[in-house]
Amino acid sequence: MGIGFRVIAVSLLLSFLLLPSFLPVSADGFVRIGLKKKALDRNWLASRSAANDEEPFRASTRRYGLGANLNSDADIVSLKNYMDAQYFGEIGVGTPTQKFTVIFDTGSSNLWVPSAKCYFSVACFLHSKYKATRSSSYHKNGKSADIHYGTGAISGFLSEDHVQVGDLVVKNQVFIEATREPGVTFLMAKFDGILGLGFQEISVGNVVPVWYGMVKQGLVKEPVFSFWFNRHAEEEEGGEIVFGGVDPNHYKGKHTYVPVTQKGYWQFDMGDVLVGGQTTGFCAKGCSAIADSGTSLIAGPTTVITEINHAIGATGVVSQECKTVVSQYGEMIMELLLTEANPKKICSQINLCAFDGTQSVSIGIESVVNKHVGVGDPMCSACEMAVVWMQNQLKQNQTKERILNYVNELCDRLPSPMGESAVDCSALSSMPSVSFTIGSKTFALTPEQYILKVGEGAAAQCISGFTALDVPPPRGPLWILGDVFMGVYHTVFDYGNLRVGFAEAA
């Protein structure tokens, strides 16, 4: 689930009822897995407080004819949509097939399902469990394996068996039998496991991912898979993932493709972020981003997310450290900026940050690949954010008083510890658009597209689709474009040409 940080707890804490069933081959030659929906749960917000972290994970020519009609070798898996926040489908493991509900996650690379040998985790008793003794195609491996998530962890051992995805059968696939699922995350979730669609570079144990097996065993004609998320929560169909091609009925116009810049997650270069058509300044010289189907929201640097949430009127937790920096050091920071001091060194010059010679040392989050989270001096973090905000305001020729007031307002908009911020549901019409520049094209989101609505009528609650995540250089700044973005823009993962494509979803 795409990148391992203490963000997007909503991604794994959604409660829903899943009623899957395999349907016969349709007239177009594809197997479709039908899934049912459940009405939205108004208690969802309260349930999220059960966890405060997120997982540790969270990687030319038209050679494959991506714009052509979907070929008969493609395989389609229907997805279940819950509150436009998470999508699930069904797979089978073993012979005869044992069915499991999984998240198809482009932000991780392993397949894991609960094991019949999971005796001491309550979560295992509430989900389907793989029974090796009942499969004639099972092969023992036995090597221990574990994946740590901020909201919990799974541990177990490797096994080998056939894995069925739609009507495709990947033979002798290595996967994790989970024997421990501690924590409330997996206890509350209705999904059984996770099927990672990232690159082998981030696979625990260097296990060959299921998608690689599809390609190597010749099960798909084109080394391409694509996601279509149905953002109409009231509709029966949740969406589809197509293995081996792209369904032209799922998008409008042409895809904009960008190359994968680092294998592991599906990572690419992203340009500026705009709010109401105005630059935020933070990514004007470029940022990195990943397309992550296992993350519900859009995650980005706290500095920009705070500006976005301020612009849309989202209310977070007041940061006393941020306000302290503004009141005690605000004028000093502006004076240093006006004297053209190096913005990256200002916080160390006023002794709020250490300096390692190349960059300030604040939020001690290690690289994404290392999958660890650490928190440094909050005063340093607040100072670094204030510098960026003030620098952007000075470029707009704002007065000193206006800048200090503005930064104080941004302090009020800092996200809560879990990353979520609420907005007034009646104010959607007055909120600005938020846009991302990818491949020199602007991809805009309207308020109706980036706000998640829970409940109906007077009891409705609206949640900002933006949450904070800080990844330092050289891996960051990093954005995670999760389901909020992928639901609006049909996404193609072109493994053959190592690129990611986006087009308006149909």
Side-chain angles (χ1 to χ4, degrees), residues 288-304:
S288 295
I290 68 171
D292 184 6
S293 62
T295 293
S296 303
L297 308 181
I298 294 175
T302 301
T303 306
V304 188

Side-chain angles (χ1 to χ4, degrees), residues 1 10-12 14 16 58 80-88 103-104 191 231 293-296 483:
M1 349 212 352
V10 43
S11 173
L12 291 179
L14 300 177
F16 57 88
R58 34 189 135 114
K80 195 249 187 261
N81 172 13
Y82 177 73
M83 208 195 70
D84 289 345
Q86 195 54 270
Y87 297 80
F88 302 83
I103 297 174
F104 290 92
F191 63 85
R231 300 299 280 181
S293 62
T295 293
S296 303
D483 300 342

Side-chain angles (χ1 to χ4, degrees), residues 336-358:
L336 289 170
L337 286 171
L338 289 171
T339 59
E340 298 184 354
N342 185 340
K344 294 183 179 180
K345 296 184 178 180
I346 287 178
C347 293
S348 61
Q349 283 181 273
I350 60 179
N351 297 317
L352 289 181
C353 289
F355 193 74
D356 65 3
T358 58

